[in-house]
Amino acid sequence: MHRFWAVLFSLVPVLGIGLYVLAVVGKGSIGGFSLAGLWLPENANPYTTTIDHLFDLVHIICGVVLGITTSVLAYVIWRYADHAGRKNEAAQYVTHHALLEWIWTVIPGAILVFLGFYQLQVWADNKMNRPMQTIDGNIQAIEPMALVVGKQFGWEVYYPGPDGRLGTSDDLRIENDLTVPVGRPVVLRVEAQDVLHSFAIPGLRVKQDVVPGMTQLVWFQVDKPGTYEILCMELCGWGHYKMRARMKAVAEPLDGIANGSSTEPSSTATPVADEEVKD
Amino acid sequence: MSFLTKYVFSSDHKVIGIQFLISSLIWFLVGGLMAAAMRWQLAWPWSDMPILGSWLFEAEGGQISPEYYTMLLTMHGTVMVFFVVIPILAGAFGNFLIPLMIGADDMAFPRLNMMSYWFMWPAFACLLLSFASPGFGPAAGWTSYPPLAVFEEAAPGSGLAQTLWLTGLTFVGLSSMMGSINYITTIVQMRAPGMTFFRLPMTIWAMLVTAILQAFALPVLTAAVLMQIADRLLGTCFFIPEGALVGDSLVKGGGGQALLWQHLFWFYSHPAVYIMLLPAMGMASDILSSMSRKPLFGYRPMVYSILSIGGLGFIVWGHHMFVSGMQPLVGAAFMLTTILIALPSGIKTFNWLATLWGGRLQLTTGMLFCMGFIAMFVIGGLSGVLMAVAPVTIFIHDTYYIVAHFHYVLFGGTSLIVIGSIYHWYPKMFGRMMSETLGKIHFFTTFVLINCVFFPMHFLGAQGLPRRYADFTHTDSFAHLQPINEFITYSAFALVAVQVFFIVNFFGSMIFGRRAGNNPWNANTLEWVATSPPPHGNFTSPLVVYRGPYEYSVPGRTQDFWMQTDPEDADGHIAH
Ligand code: HEM
Ligand SMILES: [Cu+2]
Ligand SMILES: [Cu+2]
């Protein structure tokens, strides 16, 4: 019987790592279900390729630790379970082993400290150091190109009006539709008007909770033209699941909107959130 | 003694422990059924639920509405955390084991102990009432973040139901507080002669640190809960900012900070994560050592790890708030402390493996559950390391990766140990053995199915699938994941169903189980000196403790165990 349990436990490292590898490789199918698209979705944001890199790095480190520890577990069941065949073999009386303990304290400790410092730059790039640009020889922080306000259950997008400034009465307002240029840094101001929401674009690895009473900035760059899904990722009420918007990344010029040259938004408001969805 | 004072209003720590055990197990079932209902919705959104649907959701035409889903989600989390895991670890096992394992006749304050159980009942009542209150139950998640939780206009459940939820939580807090004062006092004051701190079993160390965490963290939660109650009933604005609009009309408000709640809540609830884990680690250490017939490897490092987890546990709460809008520099500091806390957990795991290595493993059901715990805790702990990496959390925060992580820790980790501990200490509780055959079937099915339910969630999370969504089929990014959601749901139904093996075994063994002797597992610790079950007052004669709890397979002895109370020394001389 102990062999049975040993085999069962050996499935943990085998399947745990095996399924992970299958998902990362993303080829083939199981029972008609395609394995493609089970790992990180495509990332079009150069600011966050480092996030994907960290994601993979930590998974590899963790995978190694998982493999070692759970294999040891399966092995000890196989080797050290009590059964008729080893009646004369007593358990070893071992209470500690200083060298071993130092090894498995210092090595994991060093790896963890390394990880702690290694990631700081990525964090700073995405949450602290707003992108800069050079205008007339002066380096200055890029101003937000639009304001996105979360409310139950949708996103309102405001672009600067003819005066070129956000937060004035001539701003353009569009529901659930954001258009940004490809290929250069975009800064957005994000706010909430009623309860907490979270401005999230999985395809760009962007996420920022928006808090009523607070103003925050997010930044990213989209290198691939196309449509991206903006989701809400903080529980905001019963309609949380359907709170989403569309973001189009297009080549410049942004036909009329978002550069203050037009008073008529070219893309009309399309509230995606209410189509096909139960209310 | 009448029936009422013996079994109901008893001040005997063992009866109180068993009361906590039974009521938590009932809530466990309720919470599990709620999870099954959620899984129904996630696999086949908006479809009629067979049989139960017309009865439960008559008003919605037999389907789960999005409001109802959000309420189920909130209740499932609340029930599992505050009504199952916390009370079953500290309330049930803490109560039952502490006096027995330290050689005391009861808790230091038996009446306070009884009150700590009976304060759970108003909490139960509040939760049931809040379930039944108009406009559905509370629906702001178990974390209850304002302003959603305080604006009645924003969510129907944020009215009366939320007030009842908060009141219920206050009672749970009072109950835990009474318990923790009692545990600390008992462990410090009532140890049998010879039971020095470094002869305490790991279970007791873990319970002590847990009780200290409770005592220092709970007041903060209680204060936060009272502040939220004041915001809703007295018109204060601790958590309500100026100028909030709900549905385009201005709601009452002014001057408050929504993030303040998150800080206060997690200042309690992160330590609470360890309140939900440390006792399980302690009990696992004791079961693993006695069932390997081998001393616990590195007893002192194990103690120091628990102490450092307890200490660090107070300065990592911000890792729940990396993308909340908290100053990113503060986030960076929390990230470093969080990374550090992984180390003591790792050390504990390595020590457990070293304990097993070279032993004579007795593969009892309790032992299998402990080994299952190690495997699951490794997975949950390692995904925790990933989340401590703040930039990665930008992507996986509030996705199914998180759901996978905390279920691996809470279900795969803590709950497996809870079940394993029931198998292990059942003979002491009820004087009879549980069926090993049923137990092993239960272990096998549960272990396999837990992984079928929760492992695929890592892949959902890696895709960015958001948690707390009632339906994914309408999104562009996630509709293709629906087959996985269906697979998880089938597995979840099976997982709930196989608990029948446990229920039958638990109640059946009370009647049909083989009678247990005092020490059915040949273990060293003091509870096995008492009769099974122990009488009121526990021990028939005074105890003296001569050694630590893990002297198994000591060379030169004929027996492979050496009870802590055994006066005989290694040469067979009786100590005086
Ligand atoms: C029968 C097994 C279980 C299943 C199928 C299950 C399933 C789920 C699901 C589907 C969610 C909600 C995911 C979402 O929509 O975001 C959830 C949330 C949660 N579960 Fe479980 N669960 C189970 C057991 C447990 C156990 C044993 C615990 C703790 C001991 C637990 C603690 C939680 C918590 C704390 C939440 C978060 C609630 C919130 O987001 O407010 N669950 N679970
Ligand atoms: Cu939302
Ligand atoms: Cu935490």
Side-chain angles (χ1 to χ4, degrees), chain A residues 1-2 4-5 8-9 12 15-17 19-20 23 33 36-41 51 54-55 58-59 62-63 65-66 68-70 72-73 75-77 80-83 86-97 100-101 104-105 108-109 112-113 115-117 119-120 122-123 126-128 151-153 156 193-196 198 202-203 205-214 216 229 231-244 246 275-279, chain B residues 46 63 66-67 70 139-141 145-148 151 154 241 243-246 248 257-259 262 292-299 301 322-325 328-329 331-332 335-336 339-340 342-343 347 350-351 353-354 356-363 368 371-372 374-375 378-379 382 385-386 388-399 401 440 443-444 447-448 455 459 462-464 466-471 474-478 480-481 483-484 551-555:
Chain A
M1 194 61 188
H2 72 281
F4 172 78
W5 297 118
L8 178 69
F9 276 88
V12 176
L15 288 179
I17 296 174
L19 289 173
Y20 162 83
F33 178 72
L38 281 187
W39 204 238
L40 292 175
I51 291 185
L54 278 174
F55 192 78
V58 181
H59 267 103
C62 289
V65 179
L66 174 83
I68 296 174
T69 46
T70 52
V72 168
L73 186 62
Y75 173 75
V76 293
I77 300 176
Y80 294 111
D82 197 8
H83 57 90
R86 56 183 297 246
K87 275 276 172 283
N88 304 322
E89 200 181 345
Q92 300 158 11
Y93 182 80
V94 182
T95 54
H96 61 279
H97 188 296
L100 262 182
E101 289 174 71
W104 70 48
T105 307
L112 287 169
V113 170
L115 271 181
F117 287 100
Q119 62 188 323
L120 280 173
V122 184
W123 178 248
N126 282 285
K127 291 288 175 198
M128 292 159 83
K151 63 168 196 185
Q152 286 182 327
F153 296 101
E156 280 181 357
Q193 94 173 32
D194 42 24
V195 298
L196 298 174
S198 188
R205 317 289 188 262
V206 169
K207 186 173 294 146
Q208 179 58 57
D209 285 10
V210 287
V211 185
M214 278 174 80
Q216 300 182 81
E229 218 167 15
L231 299 163
C232 175
M233 289 236 203
E234 182 63 62
L235 182 63
C236 56
W238 66 269
H240 174 51
Y241 72 99
K242 60 167 197 169
M243 175 165 168
R244 62 207 180 96
R246 210 170 270 157
E275 298 165 3
E276 327 137 319
V277 176
K278 182 192 158 86
D279 258 303
Chain B
W46 325 122
Q63 304 159 2
E67 290 92 335
T70 323
Y145 282 0
L148 183 64
F151 289 159
L245 299 166
V246 175
D248 291 326
Q257 253 293 350
L259 287 189
Q262 297 183 28
S292 314
R293 319 306 298 158
K294 211 174 148 265
L296 183 70
F297 190 91
Y299 172 76
F322 283 144
V323 298
S324 68
L329 204 56
M335 155 169 70
L336 293 174
I339 288 252
L340 284 183
L343 189 58
I347 293 175
F350 300 138
N351 279 338
L353 291 173
L356 294 170
W357 190 279
R360 278 174 71 87
L361 313 188
Q362 315 292 309
L363 298 182
L368 287 172
M371 292 192 294
I374 298 181
V378 165
I379 297 181
L382 289 171
V385 173
L386 183 82
V389 179
V392 173
T393 300
I394 298 176
F395 177 55
I396 59 173
H397 175 73
D398 258 348
T399 65
Y401 208 98
K440 282 177 180 155
F443 169 72
F444 176 75
F447 185 67
V448 171
F455 199 76
F459 300 120
Q463 285 285 300
R467 78 190 255 214
R468 294 174 166 181
Y469 268 32
D471 174 15
H474 69 283
T475 55
D476 306 332
S477 320
F478 309 119
H480 69 285
L481 297 171
I484 303 190
E551 297 299 304
Y552 291 101
S553 301
V554 178

Side-chain angles (χ1 to χ4, degrees), chain A residues 14-215:
Chain A
V14 170
L15 288 179
I17 296 174
L19 289 173
Y20 162 83
V21 171
L22 280 182
V24 174
V25 174
K27 292 212 175 68
S29 65
I30 298 178
F33 178 72
S34 160
L35 288 173
L38 281 187
W39 204 238
L40 292 175
E42 201 183 341
N43 187 358
N45 177 5
Y47 283 91
T48 56
T49 46
T50 43
I51 291 185
D52 293 3
H53 162 69
L54 278 174
F55 192 78
D56 288 335
L57 175 72
V58 181
H59 267 103
I60 290 168
I61 296 175
C62 289
V64 171
V65 179
L66 174 83
I68 296 174
T69 46
T70 52
S71 305
V72 168
L73 186 62
Y75 173 75
V76 293
I77 300 176
W78 183 274
R79 170 68 181 79
Y80 294 111
D82 197 8
H83 57 90
R86 56 183 297 246
K87 275 276 172 283
N88 304 322
E89 200 181 345
Q92 300 158 11
Y93 182 80
V94 182
T95 54
H96 61 279
H97 188 296
L99 179 64
L100 262 182
E101 289 174 71
W102 275 109
I103 291 176
W104 70 48
T105 307
V106 171
I107 294 178
I111 295 176
L112 287 169
V113 170
F114 160 76
L115 271 181
F117 287 100
Y118 184 66
Q119 62 188 323
L120 280 173
Q121 189 59 44
V122 184
W123 178 248
D125 288 344
N126 282 285
K127 291 288 175 198
M128 292 159 83
N129 305 333
R130 182 179 357 163
M132 308 295 248
Q133 67 188 154
T134 316
I135 295 177
D136 306 333
N138 300 322
I139 298 180
Q140 60 184 63
I142 298 179
E143 287 305 314
M145 66 161 282
L147 162 67
V148 181
V149 180
K151 63 168 196 185
Q152 286 182 327
F153 296 101
W155 299 97
E156 280 181 357
V157 181
Y158 295 85
Y159 296 101
D163 65 358
R165 287 187 303 155
L166 264 179
T168 51
S169 56
D170 66 344
D171 287 357
L172 300 176
R173 194 186 95 162
I174 300 180
E175 296 240 325
N176 295 321
D177 211 338
L178 174 65
T179 308
V180 298
V182 285
R184 70 177 168 87
V186 173
V187 179
L188 299 174
R189 206 168 108 196
V190 290
E191 293 175 5
Q193 94 173 32
D194 42 24
V195 298
L196 298 174
H197 302 275
S198 188
F199 178 86
I201 311 174
L204 303 179
R205 317 289 188 262
V206 169
K207 186 173 294 146
Q208 179 58 57
D209 285 10
V210 287
V211 185
M214 278 174 80
T215 285

Side-chain angles (χ1 to χ4, degrees), chain B residues 28 32 35-36 38-39 42 69 73-74 76-77 80-81 85 141-143 400 403 406-407 410-411 415 453-454 457 467-469 492 495-496:
Chain B
F28 203 170
M38 280 193 279
R39 286 309 322 176
L42 291 176
Y69 181 86
L73 168 80
T74 306
H76 168 75
M80 288 301 190
V81 170
V85 173
W142 80 279
T143 47
Y400 264 76
V403 180
F406 66 67
H407 282 97
L410 284 177
F411 200 166
S415 306
V453 174
F454 297 113
M457 290 187 185
R467 78 190 255 214
R468 294 174 166 181
Y469 268 32
L495 178 57
V496 175

